[in-house]
Amino acid sequence: MRDAGAGREELAALLALLEERPALRDERGGSTSWSTIASEVSLRGSAVAVWESVQPPALDGMDRGGGALDRAGDLLAEWRVADFQLVTVLDAAYPLALRGIHQMPPILFVKGRLRANELGVSVVGSRRASARGLSIASNVAVGLVQLGISVISGLATGIDTAAHRACLGAGGRPIGVLGTGINRVYPPENHDLHRQVAARGAVVSQFMPHTPPQKHTFPMRNATMSGLGRASVIVEAGEYSGTRIQARVGVEHGRPVILTDRVVAATRWARELQHRPGVYVAGSTADLMGIVEEVVRDVDVGAAGAALPVSE
Amino acid sequence: MTDQAAAARQSLLTAAGGYLRNVVRRPGVTCAVCCAPVDGFDRCWRCRHDGRIQGVADVVVPLTYAIGGTQSATLLWHYKDDPVHKVRERHALIINWLLYLGIAEHERCIGVAAGMPVSRRVAIPSMSGRTGVHPFTALARWMNALSESAALLPVPGATCDRVVSGDKFVLQPPGRLDGRHLMVLDDTWTTGSNAQSAAVTLRRSGAARVSVMVIGRWLSPGYANTGRFIKDYLQRDFDTDICPVTGGACP
């Protein structure tokens, strides 16, 4: 793994793999998931090695992979003057926490600065939030800043915006994870907020730079947020809110999910989820911050291996 | 239950209960040997085929499933091969708790199923392609799961193909295992050829019983009716009260 970022050849091979999505492991060529590519490239330590292993032998002397590699080269040339950086799974700068989940994105487009050892917690919730919900989001964000924890959210309206703004106001480190490409601002009225989050923390996207907001990009973004953070706080959400995705994937990642009692009172999914492993319900902001402190500490020092008594 | 077992249960459930799944032991639904989904048969094709080979294991016990494209598969790939030490370490803890509980709480059940208590434990060694001690062996050794008096070594040149053969491994130190119950430990069961090859080797050395305990029975969601099986039977969070030998209460 390189400290300064993957070389140009590795980047080109990674982009070519993402375009062609060749058959890897059990997946079918053309539809192999990006996270499988990420895992394979990370385990092998090289995108070039994976790329070369999936190229059919060129019997006629033609280099079949040339097209995808050429297009990758063009993109890299174009991005050299862009206002974002690339962080791939081959880079030492890639966030450690994100390496632990199965939806690990192969490449992150970043404005601002992302740390490998980022200590963050997601604060997420509905776009159409109540005044009470917005106030809880702000209080939690300020509480996290006081603990030295980065506030991760999705740069959407409502709860996300409240969390980012409160984090900025308290002098903390905000991290915005986009459901679009890095060149898009969605919703458009959050243009200024994007800029401030990038300046004081990081704006991150796992999609190609011009990707528009789509139905499937938001759940993927929620998985990334869950993976980036030590825990997810669900402030306020409706029955069909996209936020429920983050709660569910958080459980599937084995990461703590903290629901406010308002979410539990308001939705059936939260009432079912509250009994699942690693799910906590908080009745107040103080209660919630107590849970955050506990789960963050657990990850740092609480985990010890178990050994059997020596026999024979 | 000891304090350590209670702590391991708690840690395991909190960190991985949301994605690990108990193995299903149901005639006609899962293979009586390896717990893979079957279509009405008592065993999967592979276990029926390998079951005819002299010396294969008496009891096979996967502790959970490793489901392709999900967190459980990531766990079993990345605990040993992730380039970042901290990531390997986090995943390895989960494997540690699973194996600890598997042995501390269910080795007795395997003894009951085999008709004789387990007397020695060995791990499957690295085959070609990996140098040094396999991360699973290192973990098992660290947690005192391996016997000092018997170990398996790969035969030079033996490969990790899908054929069951008693010629892939040798017993070290060479000796007789008459009257003993040997339990083979490994991380993943895909076709079972490595674990069954180890079983055949141990049986040739006289082992009276051979059992296999693996962390994960590999499942590919795209294969045959596996996706359906996952949807119908693998939706419940991991339950440390379920015995992997019976799929219900301990025997």
Side-chain angles (χ1 to χ4, degrees), chain A residues 1 25-28 33 35-36 38-40 42-45 89 91 95-97 99-104 117 251-256 275-278 280 298-300 302-312, chain B residues 4 8 11 13-19 21 68-71 74 77-78 81-84 86-87 90-91 93 96-97 99-100 103-104 119-121 142-150 218-221 235 237-238:
Chain A
M1 204 173 319
R25 297 188 186 165
D26 298 335
E27 295 188 55
R28 204 172 312 143
S33 69
S35 47
T36 293
S39 170
E40 198 64 24
S42 161
L43 295 185
R44 297 270 292 268
V89 290
D91 299 331
L96 277 175
R99 290 186 186 274
I101 65 161
H102 75 93
Q103 300 99 328
M104 170 169 72
N117 226 335
V251 172
E252 287 165 5
H253 293 154
R255 302 274 166 99
H275 304 295
R276 297 193 62 190
Y280 303 79
D298 271 1
V299 173
D300 286 335
L308 295 155
V310 180
S311 59
E312 295 182 57
Chain B
Q4 195 181 14
S11 301
L13 290 180
T14 307
Y19 67 84
R21 296 294 179 256
T70 76
Q71 193 68 25
T74 296
W77 283 102
H78 285 259
D81 285 332
D82 195 281
V84 179
K86 263 212 153 346
V87 176
R90 253 338 270 161
H91 289 309
L93 264 177
N96 175 199
W97 293 323
L99 186 60
Y100 171 81
I103 294 172
S119 39
R120 299 269 190 279
R121 301 182 209 110
W142 176 85
M143 59 186 285
N144 305 321
L146 301 181
S147 306
E148 297 285 332
S149 59
W218 186 266
L219 295 181
S220 300
Q235 295 306 309
D237 291 323
F238 196 73

Side-chain angles (χ1 to χ4, degrees), chain B residues 139-208:
Chain B
L139 173 64
R141 195 173 288 156
W142 176 85
M143 59 186 285
N144 305 321
L146 301 181
S147 306
E148 297 285 332
S149 59
L152 291 171
L153 291 180
V155 168
T159 52
C160 192
D161 55 25
R162 296 180 170 187
V163 178
V164 175
S165 155
D167 301 326
K168 285 185 179 180
F169 305 106
V170 286
L171 185 65
Q172 191 65 34
R176 295 298 298 171
L177 301 168
D178 298 279
R180 307 250 182 229
H181 176 171
L182 272 285
M183 180 159 82
V184 177
L185 304 175
D186 200 4
D187 57 0
T188 313
W189 176 292
T190 304
T191 63
S193 59
N194 283 339
Q196 294 289 32
S197 296
V200 172
T201 298
L202 296 169
R203 196 87 68 166
R204 277 186 191 167
S205 298

Side-chain angles (χ1 to χ4, degrees), chain B residues 36-38 65-68 217-234:
Chain B
V38 292
Y65 290 105
I67 306 169
R217 200 309 169 194
W218 186 266
L219 295 181
S220 300
Y223 178 75
N225 58 347
T226 303
R228 181 85 234 166
F229 168 74
I230 293 167
K231 206 157 171 275
D232 290 347
Y233 292 94
L234 301 186

Side-chain angles (χ1 to χ4, degrees), chain B residues 112-128:
Chain B
V112 172
M116 177 190 286
V118 173
S119 39
R120 299 269 190 279
R121 301 182 209 110
V122 295
I124 304 260
S126 287
M127 302 289 272
S128 53

